[in-house]
C-alpha cells in the first residue's frame, strides 16, 4: 500500500498542475485507477470533488492576472451548464465501455493536436 504522505504529495502536485491548467485532474485519474486500484467511476467522483477544491484558487489567479476573457467566460458558462446536465443524463444511459473508448479517443486527439500545433 502506498504510504499516506506520498498520496498527499501526489494530490498536492496534481493540484498545482491543475492550477496551471496542465491537466492535473487527468493525472489524478491515472494515479487513482492505475496505482491505487480505485474503480474508474469512484475515481471520477473523487476527481470532481478534487476539482471543486482546486478550481477557485486557479480562477482567482487567472482573473487577477487578466487571463480570462469575460465574454468568452459568459458564453462557456451559458453553454456549459445545460450541456453538462445533458451529458450527465446521457452518460447514465450509455455503455461504460463506450464512454471509456470515447474519452480515450478524445485524449488521443487532443494530444496529437497539441503535438503538432504551431504555438
Amino acid at each position: 500500500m502506498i504510504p499516506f504522505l506520498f498520496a498527499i504529495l501526489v494530490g498536492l502536485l496534481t493540484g498545482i498542475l491543475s492550477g496551471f491548467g496542465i491537466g492535473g485532474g487527468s493525472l489524478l485519474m491515472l494515479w487513482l485507477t492505475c496505482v491505487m486500484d480505485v474503480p474508474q467511476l469512484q475515481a471520477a467522483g473523487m476527481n470532481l470533488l478534487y476539482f471543486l477544491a482546486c478550481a477557485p484558487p486557479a480562477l482567482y489567479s487567472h482573473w487577477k492576472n487578466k487571463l480570462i476573457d469575460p465574454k468568452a467566460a459568459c458564453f462557456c458558462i451559458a453553454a456549459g451548464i445545460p450541456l453538462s446536465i445533458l451529458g450527465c443524463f446521457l452518460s447514465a444511459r450509455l455503455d461504460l465501455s463506450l464512454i471509456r473508448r470515447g474519452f480515450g479517443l478524445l485524449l488521443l486527439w487532443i494530444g496529437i493536436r497539441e503535438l503538432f500545433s504551431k504555438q
Side-chain angles (χ1 to χ4, degrees):
M1 180 164 177
I2 304 297
F4 181 71
L5 290 177
F6 189 72
I8 289 176
L9 179 65
V10 169
L12 178 67
L13 290 175
T14 55
I16 291 169
L17 292 173
S18 292
F20 289 135
I22 295 175
S26 297
L27 295 174
L28 181 67
M29 284 289 294
L30 288 171
W31 169 261
L32 290 172
T33 55
C34 296
V35 178
M36 300 297 292
D37 292 325
V38 174
Q40 187 173 358
L41 197 56
Q42 287 179 334
M46 292 167 69
N47 192 34
L48 289 173
L49 288 174
Y50 179 79
F51 174 77
L52 290 175
C54 293
L59 178 62
Y60 173 75
S61 174
H62 291 319
W63 185 265
K64 186 179 101 176
N65 293 318
K66 300 189 185 322
L67 299 172
I68 296 175
D69 177 9
K71 287 182 183 178
C74 288
F75 174 76
C76 289
I77 292 168
I81 292 173
L83 290 174
S84 65
I85 293 170
L86 177 65
C88 179
F89 287 116
L90 285 175
S91 70
R93 299 194 185 324
L94 292 174
D95 181 30
L96 186 57
S97 65
L98 181 65
I99 295 171
R100 287 180 181 164
R101 288 184 186 130
F103 185 64
L105 288 173
L106 176 67
L107 288 178
L108 185 63
W109 176 71
I110 291 171
I112 291 170
R113 194 183 81 192
E114 288 295 316
L115 186 64
F116 294 107
S117 98
K118 302 239 180 199
Q119 295 178 342

